[in-house]
Amino acid sequence: KHKFWETQPVGQFKDVGDSSLPEGPIEPPTLLSEVKQEPYNLPSQYEWTTCDMDSEETCTEVYNLLKNNYVEDDENMFRFNYSKEFLRWALRPPGYYTSWHIGVRAKASKKLVAFITGVPARIRVRDEVVKMAEINFLCVHKKLRSKRLAPVMIKEVTRRVHLENIWQAAYTAGVVLPTPITTCQYWHRSLNPKKLIDVGFSRLGARMTMSRTIKLYKLPDSPATPGFRKMELCDVPAVTRLLRNYLSQFAVAPDFDENDVEHWLLPTEDVVDSYLVESPETHEITDFCSFYTLPSSILGNQTYSTLKAAYSYYNVFTKTPLLQLMNDALIVAKQKDFDVFNALDVMQNETFLKELKFGPGDGQLHYYLYNYRLRKALKSSELGLVLL
Ligand code: MYA
Ligand code: JJ1
């Protein structure tokens, strides 16, 4: 069934439920001298290229490949439209390797036809912090699908990760592969219900009119929590402490240091937004919330071309109830003109989704580890990792 994935060091369907297998790496590292030195062979019309995201020209080529060929919903009504600034942010975290930003070009035209990326990350699995690659943005041009290019690209990124002496990876996909460490549900909170209904993202509920729907989703004009403000550079140490402590309760979560927090969580216009609660009395930082900006192209609508979506990222509460904190996140997202606020049922998100009028989407997200076995799958609430 999975001719490629059956050959890879990942949990296999035949082993699901077999708790005799040990947790940890599936196969041991090899000597670096034993890692294949040459790239894998592509069909003869194609060649490898390393994509330098510093180059405006290359970044535009990647942007256009993804804009036209990346992930769609199951009815092909929407397609992710990651911005160039977002791609630069996502692909250049602390310690990144340009060699892990891999493209495939047609030899004759030099057109970019496929892409896959890795970025380094430290991910804690239960008590162990493991150096991993986070693999993302796997994309093959629509005209070149089903030619088994994806397995070659996955093997090539694996080789280049191995050359840096890293032997594990984390990734997500909308499709079921061998075998998820957990499966998450997407939830959606309408901010601009009229537009969402007009473009077919959502539907008018039973016994609902447009004006009742608009009223249902109305939000206050400004956040309610005293001391709620945007995160700044000087907050990085306090946010790092808060986040590390909070994430320690989940079975799988990133091991963020101050450099990581500065990169991944300091606000970047139209890419990532972060807010915190600073106690008006003690000036202590007690709570934190964040979301990233990922618009989708609306395929074939006369009126609208883009859906502006915010995605819940990392949220931490110690004093403000999570429900109140996330309501404030919805309020600032609405102020910033997002049409919808999306969240997965990871971490403690289930405690606010229904009350804050999120509804379940038609999409799921499966999380995977490469060359690392878990004894059994996690509940989505045991997962403390959000990939972009
Ligand atoms: S997930 C986002 C993936 N991208 C899209 O969905 C965009 C739209 N779709 C496409 O561009 C193509 O359909 C893709 C497949 C490129 C997805 N992850 O070449 P093929 C397997 C892993 O004939 P195509 C993301 O970016 C499939 O089961 N494998 O197929 C994370 C089959 O294998 P098998 C996938 O449709 C990516 C084989 O590929 C996926 O032309 C993580 C068919 O190949 C998928 N999303 O191209 C990658 N979809 O026969 C893994 C299909 O065995 C990283 N397949 O069933 C692993 C860790 C590597 C680093 C390790 C370091 C130590
Ligand atoms: O966005 C998604 N679904 C939407 C749109 C559905 C359009 C028809 N298929 C959805 N809308 C309902 C919203 C409604 C609002 C009011 C309350 C009730 C709900 O369900 C889905 C997620 O649900 N998105 C996708 O399918 C995109 C692909 C998801 C897999 C992503 C793979 C990630 C790549 C790895 O890096």
PDB file of all heavy atoms in Angstrom, residues 2-5 69-71 136-140 145-151 158 161 167 169 171-172 177 370, ligand 1:
ATOM      1  N   HIS A   2       1.791   1.358   0.962  1.00  0.00           N
ATOM      2  CA  HIS A   2       2.698   2.510   0.990  1.00  0.00           C
ATOM      3  C   HIS A   2       4.098   2.054   0.581  1.00  0.00           C
ATOM      4  O   HIS A   2       4.966   1.869   1.430  1.00  0.00           O
ATOM      5  CB  HIS A   2       2.701   3.130   2.387  1.00  0.00           C
ATOM      6  CG  HIS A   2       1.418   3.821   2.727  1.00  0.00           C
ATOM      7  ND1 HIS A   2       1.057   5.032   2.174  1.00  0.00           N
ATOM      8  CD2 HIS A   2       0.406   3.483   3.558  1.00  0.00           C
ATOM      9  CE1 HIS A   2      -0.117   5.411   2.663  1.00  0.00           C
ATOM     10  NE2 HIS A   2      -0.545   4.486   3.493  1.00  0.00           N
ATOM     11  N   LYS A   3       4.294   1.905  -0.733  1.00  0.00           N
ATOM     12  CA  LYS A   3       5.543   1.351  -1.263  1.00  0.00           C
ATOM     13  C   LYS A   3       6.763   2.124  -0.775  1.00  0.00           C
ATOM     14  O   LYS A   3       7.823   1.542  -0.534  1.00  0.00           O
ATOM     15  CB  LYS A   3       5.511   1.327  -2.810  1.00  0.00           C
ATOM     16  CG  LYS A   3       4.952   0.053  -3.379  1.00  0.00           C
ATOM     17  CD  LYS A   3       5.986  -1.109  -3.302  1.00  0.00           C
ATOM     18  CE  LYS A   3       5.385  -2.488  -3.427  1.00  0.00           C
ATOM     19  NZ  LYS A   3       5.149  -3.204  -2.167  1.00  0.00           N
ATOM     20  N   PHE A   4       6.636   3.444  -0.645  1.00  0.00           N
ATOM     21  CA  PHE A   4       7.757   4.241  -0.134  1.00  0.00           C
ATOM     22  C   PHE A   4       7.829   4.194   1.386  1.00  0.00           C
ATOM     23  O   PHE A   4       8.861   3.819   1.963  1.00  0.00           O
ATOM     24  CB  PHE A   4       7.671   5.696  -0.624  1.00  0.00           C
ATOM     25  CG  PHE A   4       8.649   6.592   0.081  1.00  0.00           C
ATOM     26  CD1 PHE A   4      10.023   6.418  -0.078  1.00  0.00           C
ATOM     27  CD2 PHE A   4       8.199   7.599   0.939  1.00  0.00           C
ATOM     28  CE1 PHE A   4      10.932   7.233   0.593  1.00  0.00           C
ATOM     29  CE2 PHE A   4       9.107   8.416   1.607  1.00  0.00           C
ATOM     30  CZ  PHE A   4      10.479   8.229   1.438  1.00  0.00           C
ATOM     31  N   TRP A   5       6.745   4.550   2.041  1.00  0.00           N
ATOM     32  CA  TRP A   5       6.794   4.700   3.506  1.00  0.00           C
ATOM     33  C   TRP A   5       7.111   3.388   4.217  1.00  0.00           C
ATOM     34  O   TRP A   5       7.677   3.387   5.305  1.00  0.00           O
ATOM     35  CB  TRP A   5       5.523   5.372   4.035  1.00  0.00           C
ATOM     36  CG  TRP A   5       5.608   6.854   3.812  1.00  0.00           C
ATOM     37  CD1 TRP A   5       4.892   7.609   2.927  1.00  0.00           C
ATOM     38  CD2 TRP A   5       6.523   7.751   4.456  1.00  0.00           C
ATOM     39  NE1 TRP A   5       5.307   8.919   2.982  1.00  0.00           N
ATOM     40  CE2 TRP A   5       6.303   9.034   3.915  1.00  0.00           C
ATOM     41  CE3 TRP A   5       7.512   7.608   5.432  1.00  0.00           C
ATOM     42  CZ2 TRP A   5       7.034  10.161   4.312  1.00  0.00           C
ATOM     43  CZ3 TRP A   5       8.239   8.722   5.837  1.00  0.00           C
ATOM     44  CH2 TRP A   5       7.996   9.976   5.279  1.00  0.00           C
ATOM     45  N   ASN A  69       0.334  25.886  -6.224  1.00  0.00           N
ATOM     46  CA  ASN A  69       0.370  24.414  -6.188  1.00  0.00           C
ATOM     47  C   ASN A  69       0.338  23.801  -4.794  1.00  0.00           C
ATOM     48  O   ASN A  69       0.421  22.577  -4.659  1.00  0.00           O
ATOM     49  CB  ASN A  69       1.637  23.909  -6.896  1.00  0.00           C
ATOM     50  CG  ASN A  69       1.707  24.356  -8.340  1.00  0.00           C
ATOM     51  OD1 ASN A  69       1.095  23.748  -9.215  1.00  0.00           O
ATOM     52  ND2 ASN A  69       2.431  25.438  -8.588  1.00  0.00           N
ATOM     53  N   TYR A  70       0.260  24.613  -3.731  1.00  0.00           N
ATOM     54  CA  TYR A  70       0.377  24.035  -2.385  1.00  0.00           C
ATOM     55  C   TYR A  70      -0.989  23.518  -1.882  1.00  0.00           C
ATOM     56  O   TYR A  70      -1.903  23.246  -2.667  1.00  0.00           O
ATOM     57  CB  TYR A  70       1.065  25.044  -1.449  1.00  0.00           C
ATOM     58  CG  TYR A  70       1.657  24.415  -0.204  1.00  0.00           C
ATOM     59  CD1 TYR A  70       2.442  23.260  -0.263  1.00  0.00           C
ATOM     60  CD2 TYR A  70       1.419  24.972   1.058  1.00  0.00           C
ATOM     61  CE1 TYR A  70       2.964  22.681   0.885  1.00  0.00           C
ATOM     62  CE2 TYR A  70       1.952  24.404   2.214  1.00  0.00           C
ATOM     63  CZ  TYR A  70       2.716  23.248   2.116  1.00  0.00           C
ATOM     64  OH  TYR A  70       3.223  22.674   3.256  1.00  0.00           O
ATOM     65  N   VAL A  71      -1.144  23.412  -0.581  1.00  0.00           N
ATOM     66  CA  VAL A  71      -2.257  22.677   0.038  1.00  0.00           C
ATOM     67  C   VAL A  71      -3.616  23.347  -0.198  1.00  0.00           C
ATOM     68  O   VAL A  71      -3.786  24.546   0.022  1.00  0.00           O
ATOM     69  CB  VAL A  71      -2.019  22.545   1.553  1.00  0.00           C
ATOM     70  CG1 VAL A  71      -3.213  21.897   2.249  1.00  0.00           C
ATOM     71  CG2 VAL A  71      -0.733  21.779   1.844  1.00  0.00           C
ATOM     72  N   ASN A 136       8.708  20.803   6.059  1.00  0.00           N
ATOM     73  CA  ASN A 136       7.499  21.527   5.671  1.00  0.00           C
ATOM     74  C   ASN A 136       7.613  21.944   4.201  1.00  0.00           C
ATOM     75  O   ASN A 136       8.675  21.846   3.592  1.00  0.00           O
ATOM     76  CB  ASN A 136       7.349  22.766   6.568  1.00  0.00           C
ATOM     77  CG  ASN A 136       5.913  23.268   6.651  1.00  0.00           C
ATOM     78  OD1 ASN A 136       5.040  22.878   5.868  1.00  0.00           O
ATOM     79  ND2 ASN A 136       5.673  24.158   7.600  1.00  0.00           N
ATOM     80  N   PHE A 137       6.514  22.438   3.659  1.00  0.00           N
ATOM     81  CA  PHE A 137       6.452  23.022   2.305  1.00  0.00           C
ATOM     82  C   PHE A 137       6.839  22.030   1.208  1.00  0.00           C
ATOM     83  O   PHE A 137       7.401  22.415   0.182  1.00  0.00           O
ATOM     84  CB  PHE A 137       7.311  24.302   2.223  1.00  0.00           C
ATOM     85  CG  PHE A 137       6.936  25.330   3.266  1.00  0.00           C
ATOM     86  CD1 PHE A 137       7.823  25.691   4.280  1.00  0.00           C
ATOM     87  CD2 PHE A 137       5.673  25.907   3.258  1.00  0.00           C
ATOM     88  CE1 PHE A 137       7.459  26.613   5.259  1.00  0.00           C
ATOM     89  CE2 PHE A 137       5.297  26.835   4.230  1.00  0.00           C
ATOM     90  CZ  PHE A 137       6.194  27.198   5.236  1.00  0.00           C
ATOM     91  N   LEU A 138       6.530  20.753   1.423  1.00  0.00           N
ATOM     92  CA  LEU A 138       6.691  19.775   0.344  1.00  0.00           C
ATOM     93  C   LEU A 138       5.652  20.086  -0.723  1.00  0.00           C
ATOM     94  O   LEU A 138       4.444  20.092  -0.450  1.00  0.00           O
ATOM     95  CB  LEU A 138       6.494  18.349   0.889  1.00  0.00           C
ATOM     96  CG  LEU A 138       6.350  17.246  -0.164  1.00  0.00           C
ATOM     97  CD1 LEU A 138       7.581  17.151  -1.050  1.00  0.00           C
ATOM     98  CD2 LEU A 138       6.067  15.908   0.516  1.00  0.00           C
ATOM     99  N   CYS A 139       6.123  20.337  -1.916  1.00  0.00           N
ATOM    100  CA  CYS A 139       5.196  20.722  -2.989  1.00  0.00           C
ATOM    101  C   CYS A 139       5.732  20.271  -4.337  1.00  0.00           C
ATOM    102  O   CYS A 139       6.897  20.514  -4.661  1.00  0.00           O
ATOM    103  CB  CYS A 139       5.027  22.246  -2.981  1.00  0.00           C
ATOM    104  SG  CYS A 139       3.855  22.844  -4.216  1.00  0.00           S
ATOM    105  N   VAL A 140       4.883  19.619  -5.106  1.00  0.00           N
ATOM    106  CA  VAL A 140       5.208  19.237  -6.490  1.00  0.00           C
ATOM    107  C   VAL A 140       4.182  19.925  -7.391  1.00  0.00           C
ATOM    108  O   VAL A 140       2.971  19.890  -7.113  1.00  0.00           O
ATOM    109  CB  VAL A 140       5.175  17.697  -6.662  1.00  0.00           C
ATOM    110  CG1 VAL A 140       5.217  17.303  -8.138  1.00  0.00           C
ATOM    111  CG2 VAL A 140       6.338  17.050  -5.900  1.00  0.00           C
ATOM    112  N   ARG A 145       2.437  15.705 -10.796  1.00  0.00           N
ATOM    113  CA  ARG A 145       1.991  14.842  -9.703  1.00  0.00           C
ATOM    114  C   ARG A 145       2.012  13.364 -10.101  1.00  0.00           C
ATOM    115  O   ARG A 145       1.903  13.027 -11.279  1.00  0.00           O
ATOM    116  CB  ARG A 145       0.558  15.220  -9.275  1.00  0.00           C
ATOM    117  CG  ARG A 145       0.415  16.630  -8.724  1.00  0.00           C
ATOM    118  CD  ARG A 145       0.803  16.746  -7.272  1.00  0.00           C
ATOM    119  NE  ARG A 145       0.887  18.151  -6.855  1.00  0.00           N
ATOM    120  CZ  ARG A 145      -0.129  18.879  -6.394  1.00  0.00           C
ATOM    121  NH1 ARG A 145      -1.325  18.327  -6.270  1.00  0.00           N
ATOM    122  NH2 ARG A 145       0.065  20.134  -6.039  1.00  0.00           N
ATOM    123  N   SER A 146       2.083  12.505  -9.078  1.00  0.00           N
ATOM    124  CA  SER A 146       1.969  11.039  -9.211  1.00  0.00           C
ATOM    125  C   SER A 146       3.089  10.411 -10.036  1.00  0.00           C
ATOM    126  O   SER A 146       2.912   9.317 -10.580  1.00  0.00           O
ATOM    127  CB  SER A 146       0.601  10.637  -9.802  1.00  0.00           C
ATOM    128  OG  SER A 146      -0.431  11.252  -9.065  1.00  0.00           O
ATOM    129  N   LYS A 147       4.228  11.109 -10.134  1.00  0.00           N
ATOM    130  CA  LYS A 147       5.391  10.563 -10.839  1.00  0.00           C
ATOM    131  C   LYS A 147       6.458  10.097  -9.859  1.00  0.00           C
ATOM    132  O   LYS A 147       7.617   9.913 -10.240  1.00  0.00           O
ATOM    133  CB  LYS A 147       5.983  11.627 -11.775  1.00  0.00           C
ATOM    134  CG  LYS A 147       5.037  12.096 -12.875  1.00  0.00           C
ATOM    135  CD  LYS A 147       5.729  13.204 -13.705  1.00  0.00           C
ATOM    136  CE  LYS A 147       4.805  13.802 -14.736  1.00  0.00           C
ATOM    137  NZ  LYS A 147       4.424  12.800 -15.772  1.00  0.00           N
ATOM    138  N   ARG A 148       6.097   9.953  -8.579  1.00  0.00           N
ATOM    139  CA  ARG A 148       7.010   9.489  -7.530  1.00  0.00           C
ATOM    140  C   ARG A 148       8.182  10.454  -7.328  1.00  0.00           C
ATOM    141  O   ARG A 148       9.276  10.041  -6.956  1.00  0.00           O
ATOM    142  CB  ARG A 148       7.507   8.065  -7.822  1.00  0.00           C
ATOM    143  CG  ARG A 148       6.416   7.050  -8.169  1.00  0.00           C
ATOM    144  CD  ARG A 148       5.423   6.808  -7.089  1.00  0.00           C
ATOM    145  NE  ARG A 148       5.952   6.255  -5.848  1.00  0.00           N
ATOM    146  CZ  ARG A 148       5.180   5.924  -4.801  1.00  0.00           C
ATOM    147  NH1 ARG A 148       3.843   6.075  -4.868  1.00  0.00           N
ATOM    148  NH2 ARG A 148       5.724   5.468  -3.702  1.00  0.00           N
ATOM    149  N   LEU A 149       7.940  11.744  -7.546  1.00  0.00           N
ATOM    150  CA  LEU A 149       8.976  12.745  -7.232  1.00  0.00           C
ATOM    151  C   LEU A 149       9.080  12.965  -5.722  1.00  0.00           C
ATOM    152  O   LEU A 149      10.174  13.179  -5.197  1.00  0.00           O
ATOM    153  CB  LEU A 149       8.636  14.090  -7.894  1.00  0.00           C
ATOM    154  CG  LEU A 149       9.268  14.412  -9.227  1.00  0.00           C
ATOM    155  CD1 LEU A 149       8.784  15.780  -9.714  1.00  0.00           C
ATOM    156  CD2 LEU A 149      10.798  14.413  -9.127  1.00  0.00           C
ATOM    157  N   ALA A 150       7.942  12.907  -5.022  1.00  0.00           N
ATOM    158  CA  ALA A 150       7.955  13.195  -3.583  1.00  0.00           C
ATOM    159  C   ALA A 150       8.912  12.275  -2.812  1.00  0.00           C
ATOM    160  O   ALA A 150       9.714  12.766  -2.008  1.00  0.00           O
ATOM    161  CB  ALA A 150       6.534  13.157  -3.015  1.00  0.00           C
ATOM    162  N   PRO A 151       8.888  10.960  -3.046  1.00  0.00           N
ATOM    163  CA  PRO A 151       9.838  10.111  -2.313  1.00  0.00           C
ATOM    164  C   PRO A 151      11.310  10.495  -2.550  1.00  0.00           C
ATOM    165  O   PRO A 151      12.112  10.445  -1.619  1.00  0.00           O
ATOM    166  CB  PRO A 151       9.541   8.702  -2.855  1.00  0.00           C
ATOM    167  CG  PRO A 151       8.087   8.768  -3.241  1.00  0.00           C
ATOM    168  CD  PRO A 151       7.897  10.163  -3.793  1.00  0.00           C
ATOM    169  N   THR A 158      16.317  14.105   3.688  1.00  0.00           N
ATOM    170  CA  THR A 158      16.815  13.222   4.761  1.00  0.00           C
ATOM    171  C   THR A 158      18.341  13.142   4.701  1.00  0.00           C
ATOM    172  O   THR A 158      19.024  13.273   5.727  1.00  0.00           O
ATOM    173  CB  THR A 158      16.199  11.815   4.613  1.00  0.00           C
ATOM    174  OG1 THR A 158      14.779  11.934   4.678  1.00  0.00           O
ATOM    175  CG2 THR A 158      16.690  10.868   5.701  1.00  0.00           C
ATOM    176  N   VAL A 161      19.856  16.340   5.960  1.00  0.00           N
ATOM    177  CA  VAL A 161      19.708  16.440   7.425  1.00  0.00           C
ATOM    178  C   VAL A 161      20.753  15.537   8.088  1.00  0.00           C
ATOM    179  O   VAL A 161      21.445  15.952   9.026  1.00  0.00           O
ATOM    180  CB  VAL A 161      18.265  16.079   7.847  1.00  0.00           C
ATOM    181  CG1 VAL A 161      18.146  15.936   9.367  1.00  0.00           C
ATOM    182  CG2 VAL A 161      17.281  17.151   7.348  1.00  0.00           C
ATOM    183  N   TRP A 167      19.165  13.015  13.065  1.00  0.00           N
ATOM    184  CA  TRP A 167      18.654  11.692  12.679  1.00  0.00           C
ATOM    185  C   TRP A 167      17.165  11.539  12.910  1.00  0.00           C
ATOM    186  O   TRP A 167      16.593  10.470  12.689  1.00  0.00           O
ATOM    187  CB  TRP A 167      19.463  10.617  13.439  1.00  0.00           C
ATOM    188  CG  TRP A 167      20.925  10.802  13.169  1.00  0.00           C
ATOM    189  CD1 TRP A 167      21.796  11.592  13.873  1.00  0.00           C
ATOM    190  CD2 TRP A 167      21.670  10.291  12.058  1.00  0.00           C
ATOM    191  NE1 TRP A 167      23.043  11.588  13.276  1.00  0.00           N
ATOM    192  CE2 TRP A 167      22.997  10.788  12.168  1.00  0.00           C
ATOM    193  CE3 TRP A 167      21.350   9.443  10.975  1.00  0.00           C
ATOM    194  CZ2 TRP A 167      24.001  10.483  11.231  1.00  0.00           C
ATOM    195  CZ3 TRP A 167      22.354   9.125  10.062  1.00  0.00           C
ATOM    196  CH2 TRP A 167      23.653   9.648  10.198  1.00  0.00           C
ATOM    197  N   ALA A 169      13.093  13.672  12.691  1.00  0.00           N
ATOM    198  CA  ALA A 169      12.350  14.797  12.117  1.00  0.00           C
ATOM    199  C   ALA A 169      10.917  14.787  12.627  1.00  0.00           C
ATOM    200  O   ALA A 169      10.413  13.757  13.094  1.00  0.00           O
ATOM    201  CB  ALA A 169      12.368  14.730  10.586  1.00  0.00           C
ATOM    202  N   TYR A 171       6.955  16.359  11.344  1.00  0.00           N
ATOM    203  CA  TYR A 171       6.222  16.941  10.218  1.00  0.00           C
ATOM    204  C   TYR A 171       4.737  16.705  10.413  1.00  0.00           C
ATOM    205  O   TYR A 171       4.338  15.867  11.221  1.00  0.00           O
ATOM    206  CB  TYR A 171       6.710  16.361   8.873  1.00  0.00           C
ATOM    207  CG  TYR A 171       6.764  14.853   8.802  1.00  0.00           C
ATOM    208  CD1 TYR A 171       5.768  14.117   8.137  1.00  0.00           C
ATOM    209  CD2 TYR A 171       7.809  14.149   9.396  1.00  0.00           C
ATOM    210  CE1 TYR A 171       5.818  12.728   8.064  1.00  0.00           C
ATOM    211  CE2 TYR A 171       7.864  12.756   9.338  1.00  0.00           C
ATOM    212  CZ  TYR A 171       6.872  12.057   8.678  1.00  0.00           C
ATOM    213  OH  TYR A 171       6.921  10.685   8.630  1.00  0.00           O
ATOM    214  N   THR A 172       3.948  17.467   9.699  1.00  0.00           N
ATOM    215  CA  THR A 172       2.493  17.296   9.723  1.00  0.00           C
ATOM    216  C   THR A 172       2.010  17.125   8.293  1.00  0.00           C
ATOM    217  O   THR A 172       2.677  17.546   7.335  1.00  0.00           O
ATOM    218  CB  THR A 172       1.781  18.529  10.323  1.00  0.00           C
ATOM    219  OG1 THR A 172       2.154  19.691   9.567  1.00  0.00           O
ATOM    220  CG2 THR A 172       2.142  18.743  11.783  1.00  0.00           C
ATOM    221  N   LEU A 177      -0.543   8.867   6.855  1.00  0.00           N
ATOM    222  CA  LEU A 177       0.664   8.140   6.451  1.00  0.00           C
ATOM    223  C   LEU A 177       1.033   7.226   7.620  1.00  0.00           C
ATOM    224  O   LEU A 177       0.500   7.378   8.715  1.00  0.00           O
ATOM    225  CB  LEU A 177       1.806   9.141   6.219  1.00  0.00           C
ATOM    226  CG  LEU A 177       1.547  10.240   5.182  1.00  0.00           C
ATOM    227  CD1 LEU A 177       2.591  11.337   5.316  1.00  0.00           C
ATOM    228  CD2 LEU A 177       1.571   9.652   3.772  1.00  0.00           C
ATOM    229  N   TYR A 370       9.814  11.156  12.419  1.00  0.00           N
ATOM    230  CA  TYR A 370      10.629  10.279  11.575  1.00  0.00           C
ATOM    231  C   TYR A 370      11.742   9.701  12.433  1.00  0.00           C
ATOM    232  O   TYR A 370      12.465  10.448  13.121  1.00  0.00           O
ATOM    233  CB  TYR A 370      11.221  11.109  10.424  1.00  0.00           C
ATOM    234  CG  TYR A 370      12.034  10.311   9.423  1.00  0.00           C
ATOM    235  CD1 TYR A 370      11.446   9.802   8.266  1.00  0.00           C
ATOM    236  CD2 TYR A 370      13.400  10.087   9.622  1.00  0.00           C
ATOM    237  CE1 TYR A 370      12.189   9.095   7.340  1.00  0.00           C
ATOM    238  CE2 TYR A 370      14.152   9.372   8.697  1.00  0.00           C
ATOM    239  CZ  TYR A 370      13.531   8.876   7.552  1.00  0.00           C
ATOM    240  OH  TYR A 370      14.276   8.187   6.636  1.00  0.00           O
TER     241      TYR A 370
HETATM  242  S1  MYA B   1       2.683  18.371   4.214  1.00  0.00           S
HETATM  243  C1  MYA B   1       2.159  19.320   2.810  1.00  0.00           C
HETATM  244  C2  MYA B   1       2.279  18.505   1.568  1.00  0.00           C
HETATM  245  N1  MYA B   1       1.991  19.283   0.387  1.00  0.00           N
HETATM  246  C3  MYA B   1       0.814  19.338  -0.237  1.00  0.00           C
HETATM  247  O1  MYA B   1      -0.130  18.677   0.169  1.00  0.00           O
HETATM  248  C4  MYA B   1       0.733  20.264  -1.424  1.00  0.00           C
HETATM  249  C5  MYA B   1      -0.094  19.714  -2.565  1.00  0.00           C
HETATM  250  N2  MYA B   1       0.369  18.392  -2.942  1.00  0.00           N
HETATM  251  C6  MYA B   1       1.552  18.138  -3.572  1.00  0.00           C
HETATM  252  O2  MYA B   1       2.346  19.016  -3.868  1.00  0.00           O
HETATM  253  C7  MYA B   1       1.856  16.670  -3.875  1.00  0.00           C
HETATM  254  O3  MYA B   1       0.659  15.941  -3.870  1.00  0.00           O
HETATM  255  C8  MYA B   1       2.856  16.047  -2.861  1.00  0.00           C
HETATM  256  C9  MYA B   1       3.032  14.544  -3.162  1.00  0.00           C
HETATM  257  C10 MYA B   1       4.227  16.714  -3.016  1.00  0.00           C
HETATM  258  C11 MYA B   1       2.375  16.164  -1.426  1.00  0.00           C
HETATM  259  N3  MYA B   1       3.924  13.828   3.140  1.00  0.00           N
HETATM  260  O4  MYA B   1       5.411  12.077  -5.894  1.00  0.00           O
HETATM  261  P1  MYA B   1       4.279  11.169  -5.601  1.00  0.00           P
HETATM  262  C12 MYA B   1       3.615  10.061  -0.337  1.00  0.00           C
HETATM  263  C13 MYA B   1       4.662  12.705   3.007  1.00  0.00           C
HETATM  264  O5  MYA B   1       3.889  10.242  -6.709  1.00  0.00           O
HETATM  265  P2  MYA B   1       2.543  13.477  -5.483  1.00  0.00           P
HETATM  266  C14 MYA B   1       4.391  18.710   4.314  1.00  0.00           C
HETATM  267  O6  MYA B   1       4.907  19.583   3.684  1.00  0.00           O
HETATM  268  C15 MYA B   1       2.540   9.079  -0.727  1.00  0.00           C
HETATM  269  O7  MYA B   1       2.014   8.456   0.438  1.00  0.00           O
HETATM  270  N4  MYA B   1       4.470  11.789   2.041  1.00  0.00           N
HETATM  271  O8  MYA B   1       2.982  11.976  -5.097  1.00  0.00           O
HETATM  272  C16 MYA B   1       5.218  17.807   5.222  1.00  0.00           C
HETATM  273  C17 MYA B   1       3.330   8.127  -1.610  1.00  0.00           C
HETATM  274  O9  MYA B   1       4.138   7.272  -0.815  1.00  0.00           O
HETATM  275  P3  MYA B   1       3.632   5.772  -0.544  1.00  0.00           P
HETATM  276  C18 MYA B   1       3.483  12.035   1.165  1.00  0.00           C
HETATM  277  O10 MYA B   1       1.121  13.599  -5.150  1.00  0.00           O
HETATM  278  C19 MYA B   1       5.993  16.831   4.357  1.00  0.00           C
HETATM  279  C20 MYA B   1       4.274   9.072  -2.340  1.00  0.00           C
HETATM  280  O11 MYA B   1       4.372  10.260  -1.518  1.00  0.00           O
HETATM  281  C21 MYA B   1       2.680  13.177   1.240  1.00  0.00           C
HETATM  282  O12 MYA B   1       2.975  13.813  -6.873  1.00  0.00           O
HETATM  283  C22 MYA B   1       6.695  15.770   5.134  1.00  0.00           C
HETATM  284  C23 MYA B   1       3.726   9.471  -3.706  1.00  0.00           C
HETATM  285  O13 MYA B   1       4.654  10.322  -4.294  1.00  0.00           O
HETATM  286  C24 MYA B   1       2.923  14.084   2.286  1.00  0.00           C
HETATM  287  N5  MYA B   1       2.207  15.199   2.452  1.00  0.00           N
HETATM  288  O14 MYA B   1       3.404  14.386  -4.480  1.00  0.00           O
HETATM  289  C25 MYA B   1       7.488  14.836   4.242  1.00  0.00           C
HETATM  290  N6  MYA B   1       1.786  13.155   0.221  1.00  0.00           N
HETATM  291  O15 MYA B   1       3.569   5.075  -1.849  1.00  0.00           O
HETATM  292  C26 MYA B   1       8.108  13.679   4.992  1.00  0.00           C
HETATM  293  C27 MYA B   1       2.023  12.035  -0.462  1.00  0.00           C
HETATM  294  O16 MYA B   1       4.633   5.148   0.407  1.00  0.00           O
HETATM  295  C28 MYA B   1       9.327  14.094   5.770  1.00  0.00           C
HETATM  296  N7  MYA B   1       3.045  11.340   0.096  1.00  0.00           N
HETATM  297  O17 MYA B   1       2.274   5.895   0.093  1.00  0.00           O
HETATM  298  C29 MYA B   1       9.987  12.926   6.443  1.00  0.00           C
HETATM  299  C30 MYA B   1      11.217  13.325   7.269  1.00  0.00           C
HETATM  300  C31 MYA B   1      12.412  13.643   6.365  1.00  0.00           C
HETATM  301  C32 MYA B   1      13.629  14.136   7.131  1.00  0.00           C
HETATM  302  C33 MYA B   1      14.249  13.079   7.987  1.00  0.00           C
HETATM  303  C34 MYA B   1      15.525  13.595   8.692  1.00  0.00           C
HETATM  304  C35 MYA B   1      16.137  12.656   9.602  1.00  0.00           C
END
